[in-house]
Amino acid sequence: SIINLLRLIREYLAKMNIPRLSEAIKERKAEFIANLDTACENAVKDSCTETNPIKPTKEDIKKIIRDGLKMK
């Protein structure tokens, strides 16, 4: 199941001392926030975004990232 797969991935990441994304971002939060607008602008321009049935705005993408990382 997907739960077992995620558990296995987390175990491997821990064994290899690779921080989870949310942990890595917390360590460099100021840098992450400073670059968030640019990253979201680039995501809107990305060719993969063009094929979405619903075109997200920069603010939509920013909200998804902030919600996913539980940031305000």
Side-chain angles (χ1 to χ4, degrees):
S1 77
I2 190 70
I3 302 297
N4 290 332
L5 176 61
L6 291 172
R7 188 176 301 125
L8 184 62
I9 290 170
R10 287 185 185 122
E11 287 175 19
Y12 281 121
L13 290 174
K15 286 179 184 178
M16 294 184 285
N17 289 328
I18 298 173
R20 294 175 64 182
L21 179 60
S22 59
E23 293 168 0
I25 289 172
K26 285 177 188 174
E27 292 173 9
R28 297 169 59 184
K29 187 174 182 176
E31 180 183 352
F32 178 80
I33 291 172
N35 291 299
L36 186 58
D37 278 336
T38 302
C40 292
E41 288 169 8
N42 290 338
V44 169
K45 295 175 190 173
D46 189 273
S47 61
C48 293
T49 305
E50 288 293 319
T51 62
N52 278 344
I54 298 173
K55 303 286 188 266
T57 65
K58 175 181 151 184
E59 292 306 315
D60 292 335
I61 295 171
K62 189 184 289 189
K63 182 176 180 343
I64 291 167
I65 292 170
R66 289 182 175 275
D67 289 352
L69 297 173
K70 296 177 177 66
M71 297 172 65
K72 293 189 178 198

